[in-house]
Amino acid sequence: MGVKIKQENKTIIALGIETSCDETSVALINSNKEVLAHRVASQIKDHEIYGGVVPEIAARAHLSLLPGLLDQVFRDASLQPHDVDVIAATTGPGLIGGVVVGTMAAKAMAAALGKPFVAVNHLEGHALTARLTETIEFPFVLLLVSGGHCQTMLVENVGAYKVLGATLDDAVGECFDKVAKMLGLPYPGGPQIEKLAATGNPKAFVLPRPMIGQKHLNFSFSGLKTAVRQTIQKLQAEHGDTLPESIVADVCASFQQTVARVLYDRIKQAFLYTAEHHPNYKQFVVAGGVAANQHIRGALQTVCSEFGFAFFAPPLSLCTDNGAMIAWAGLERFQQGLTDSLDIKPRPRWPMDQIRGISS
Ligand code: KG4
Ligand code: ZN
């Protein structure tokens, strides 16, 4: 009879650094899915007056904020840097100045501490976040809707993504931000529009629903954006440049409702496609900043229940950019043996189907 050796399951601790856009964020998490410390320093105030993110300002802000946040998370978790098992940072895609800051800090720590480094694709961070807070096995259908991205994909495993469809023009979050700007609302537009839409009439304005009913799985939002611009211009000709708040609320509600209907339709098409070609897919995850929108979540929950899919979304605080999602993706990759050399270069562009997986 062989001697049974009890395999000791060591708890792994991961440090994650996110600096790809306008949030500087650092987190410490462990393999028991515990968030040990998590700090997010938003730079919204620095960019607000410009109506969008200014890359050079963002890079400088990451540089000045990151050291303090790193100190803080170790204090919050009562841990020392050498307690960490793996160090992960967003290495792309994103604004290159910020990505360089986070990646270089992580590489420097990994080199100094003699710890493994994981170069995390920011989109993979969004894609895997729901697995930090929920029990979701692979595979699942993912809708990633953020400020820079809008795509549906099949998530087969860590590092194994098949893109089904993507936007041909604007990302959904970008469209929220541009419509908010047209209405004179501050950046970022998504939360502002959602708040005002709550008091508006979603049927006040009839807007186009790009691609609705079409069998392919791509998205388009520029036509909707143009229609909203024309609607606002007509209203301004009537009411003056500063529109009454009730009209702004009606525009917000009509726009948000249209986006929700379009996303409902695009996911319906994705489910019809998977039913035919990948019937083993029965779970759906929505991720990215726009996933924080309750109305959009509601529309996606409806399409999931109609097609027998389980619906998952990260908690609101983990929808927009954060360090916990990078720590988690880093931990998942580390557990699969997917660590990276310190030679890896920060990348402004990095499509998800080019992420290195277990077999590549
Ligand atoms: O994921 P994220 O923080 O950054 C990117 O990777 O792009 O997403 C930010 C985007 C912004 O465009 C913002 O307006 C949008 O997410 N957003 C929302 C909401 N909260 C954030 N859009 C609609 N409704 C929201 N509640
Ligand atoms: Zn993001």
Side-chain angles (χ1 to χ4, degrees):
M1 240 171 73
V3 180
K4 271 199 181 153
I5 299 171
K6 188 166 176 278
Q7 189 77 35
E8 211 180 310
N9 258 344
K10 184 186 174 296
T11 304
I12 297 160
I13 298 175
L15 170 72
I17 300 176
E18 160 59 33
T19 55
S20 69
C21 192
D22 58 344
E23 263 93 22
T24 317
S25 183
V26 183
L28 284 164
I29 64 162
N30 69 21
S31 47
N32 300 328
K33 298 189 171 185
E34 288 165 327
V35 178
L36 307 172
H38 191 196
R39 293 267 169 173
V40 184
S42 170
Q43 305 172 7
I44 286 174
K45 286 271 161 291
D46 300 335
H47 302 285
E48 213 172 34
I49 53 163
Y50 304 101
V53 181
V54 183
E56 181 61 25
I57 293 176
R60 285 164 191 257
H62 289 305
L63 198 56
S64 72
L65 289 165
L66 190 55
L69 288 180
L70 281 163
D71 278 349
Q72 194 63 53
V73 290
F74 282 105
R75 270 207 300 276
D76 292 347
S78 303
L79 289 173
Q80 299 296 323
H82 58 75
D83 295 323
V84 163
D85 298 290
V86 55
I87 297 172
T90 300
T91 301
L95 301 174
I96 195 65
V99 172
V100 167
V101 171
T103 302
M104 294 311 286
K107 284 183 181 179
M109 285 184 71
L113 296 163
K115 304 284 180 178
F117 166 69
V118 178
V120 173
N121 178 302
H122 179 84
L123 306 176
E124 183 168 46
H126 280 301
L128 299 177
T129 310
R131 280 169 51 85
L132 168 62
T133 51
E134 309 258 6
T135 306
I136 309 169
E137 301 300 329
F138 296 111
F140 55 86
V141 175
L142 174 75
L143 170 66
L144 176 59
V145 272
S146 69
H149 297 271
C150 174
Q151 47 192 338
T152 36
M153 66 199 82
L154 300 177
V155 179
E156 294 172 349
N157 208 327
V158 175
Y161 306 95
K162 283 211 177 92
V163 177
L164 297 177
T167 185
L168 303 181
D169 39 60
D170 291 352
V172 194
E174 186 184 356
C175 201
F176 268 92
D177 295 338
K178 286 180 177 165
V179 167
K181 202 170 177 180
M182 293 174 209
L183 290 167
L185 302 171
Y187 173 86
Q192 302 289 333
I193 289 183
E194 180 170 19
K195 203 164 95 198
L196 282 161
T199 61
N201 173 10
K203 294 198 178 119
F205 303 102
V206 179
L207 297 167
R209 298 173 178 178
M211 292 180 169
I212 211 146
Q214 296 178 14
K215 287 263 170 288
H216 63 80
L217 304 177
N218 289 324
F219 304 77
S220 167
F221 291 99
S222 69
L224 170 60
K225 184 186 67 188
T226 305
V228 176
R229 174 172 289 122
Q230 288 163 347
T231 303
I232 294 170
Q233 282 166 349
K234 264 192 225 143
L235 289 165
Q236 283 172 331
E238 215 178 301
H239 299 272
D241 277 357
T242 310
L243 296 175
E245 197 173 313
S246 65
I247 292 184
V248 172
D250 285 348
V251 174
C252 290
S254 303
F255 166 71
Q256 180 180 265
Q257 167 93 333
T258 307
V259 172
R261 285 284 165 83
V262 169
L263 292 177
Y264 167 96
D265 175 72
R266 300 291 77 211
I267 296 308
K268 176 179 159 184
Q269 297 301 333
F271 288 167
L272 289 170
Y273 171 84
T274 49
E276 198 176 333
H277 300 282
H278 304 275
N280 55 325
Y281 280 72
K282 281 289 158 213
Q283 303 179 102
F284 172 81
V285 173
V286 60
V290 181
N293 186 293
Q294 296 297 336
H295 189 74
I296 289 173
R297 281 188 187 221
L300 296 170
Q301 261 164 327
T302 304
V303 69
C304 282
S305 61
E306 285 170 5
F307 283 82
F309 271 70
F311 172 88
F312 298 98
L316 294 189
S317 62
L318 297 185
C319 285
T320 44
D321 292 348
N322 65 85
M325 73 183 197
I326 303 306
W328 175 251
L331 196 145
E332 290 231 57
R333 292 186 69 80
F334 175 72
Q335 286 177 317
Q336 303 294 340
L338 294 167
T339 58
D340 292 281
S341 127
L342 295 182
D343 294 337
I344 196 163
K345 288 192 175 63
R347 303 176 186 188
R349 281 183 46 74
W350 188 359
M352 280 192 87
D353 41 17
Q354 289 173 22
I355 295 174
R356 194 164 61 94
I358 297 157
S359 55
S360 47

